[in-house]
Amino acid sequence: VLQHSLNITLPSWTTTTPDLTFTSMSDICSHYHCLTCNKDKTSVTSINLANMLPPYELTGTIPPEIGLLSTLERIELNSNDQLHGSIPSEMGKLSNLQYLHLHYTSLSGSIPSDLGKLTSLKELFVEHDKLHGTMPQSICQLRTTTTKKEKKGVLELIQADCGGDEPKLECATDCCTQCHK
């Protein structure tokens, strides 16, 4: 699904090679250099398609089916200016996700409030893209607490286009850790 939606043309992602047959998740984990799997090679924990260069650059959109990859801990799709469309709200189902890097893309629209369900999230990078609106309070709450007795959330870094006189993304002062123009 990811290959089709993102129009990935990497030789290692194509399945049209007649002698390339995957009989298990272990085969997939061993074959794709841009995927990291758990120790048992039974599930994907990381997708790193950052900084893809021609002729292998990413184009297309992030499919909503990405929300089905429940074991993902890291998604790096940054520095792919042909990656467009919106951030699917289904990404909010990725309860193990710790790192979401979507900066330097052509993603547009608003940031879905469902990302506030990512209670394991440590880094959210959404700067230098076409996203606009307001950083959802549900995401900001992953960083802040209401009383000193409460444990601080795990979200340490939020980088967004919230700086300058006319920011593309409004961000509360105690929310975004780094605002870009």
Side-chain angles (χ1 to χ4, degrees), residues 59-70:
T59 62
T61 60
I62 302 171
E65 291 84 0
I66 198 163
L68 299 174
L69 300 174
S70 61

Side-chain angles (χ1 to χ4, degrees), residues 124-140:
L124 174 62
F125 295 171
V126 290
E127 75 274 14
H128 302 292
D129 50 34
K130 297 178 181 178
L131 296 168
H132 58 82
T134 302
M135 181 66 69
Q137 186 60 30
S138 60
I139 294 173
C140 297

Side-chain angles (χ1 to χ4, degrees), residues 136-148:
Q137 186 60 30
S138 60
I139 294 173
C140 297
Q141 288 175 345
L142 296 175
R143 292 203 67 242
T144 59
T145 56
T146 55
T147 68
K148 292 180 181 179

